[in-house]
Amino acid sequence: MARPRLDVSDRRTRTVGVRLTSAEAVDLADRAAAVGLTTASYVRRAALGRRIRSAAVLRLGAEDRLELGRIGVNLNQLARAMNAGVPAPPGTRETVERIGELVAELLAHLPAAG
């Protein structure tokens, strides 16, 4: 079954040309691929100031994304306090390192983008 046609106002009909060096083009393509986007989609999102989420994170379930968000909020609060001069609680470094390991394990077990 064919995809429904977009309304005329939603169709992308304009193009914008940008000149890049070969190295810049490769870097841009690599960045797009790393988050599971086409180069055009990546450039569009970046240029319009839209959030560029990792494809791996998008493949997480809603509960997992919510929990990762909560962890991120807690880490931000900790960083803000430490930047304000509040000493880090004992074991902070080890805990943050372990969180990084757990997130890496979680992302490694997600199905491949496709």
Side-chain angles (χ1 to χ4, degrees):
M1 182 173 175
R3 185 171 81 180
R5 293 187 62 82
L6 290 174
D7 185 56
V8 174
S9 63
D10 292 330
R11 293 182 194 156
R12 292 190 173 106
T13 59
R14 305 289 307 261
T15 59
V16 176
V18 178
R19 292 184 186 270
L20 303 171
T21 66
S22 293
E24 289 170 334
V26 168
D27 183 44
L28 195 56
D30 288 346
R31 288 174 187 231
V35 293
L37 295 173
T38 64
T39 303
S41 183
Y42 182 87
V43 169
R44 184 180 311 110
R45 288 172 183 257
L48 297 174
R50 294 189 182 142
R51 186 179 221 171
I52 299 173
R53 293 184 178 165
S54 167
V57 171
L58 292 176
R59 288 191 308 274
L60 288 172
E63 287 183 30
D64 291 329
R65 284 196 309 267
L66 184 63
E67 191 61 31
L68 278 177
R70 289 178 179 145
I71 291 168
V73 167
N74 289 338
L75 290 172
N76 268 342
Q77 291 171 343
L78 178 63
R80 183 173 295 138
M82 291 174 61
N83 285 333
V86 177
T92 298
R93 175 181 293 246
E94 293 80 9
T95 301
V96 171
E97 288 173 354
R98 182 64 183 139
I99 290 170
E101 292 168 2
L102 291 170
V103 169
E105 283 180 34
L106 175 66
L107 295 178
H109 288 91
L110 290 175

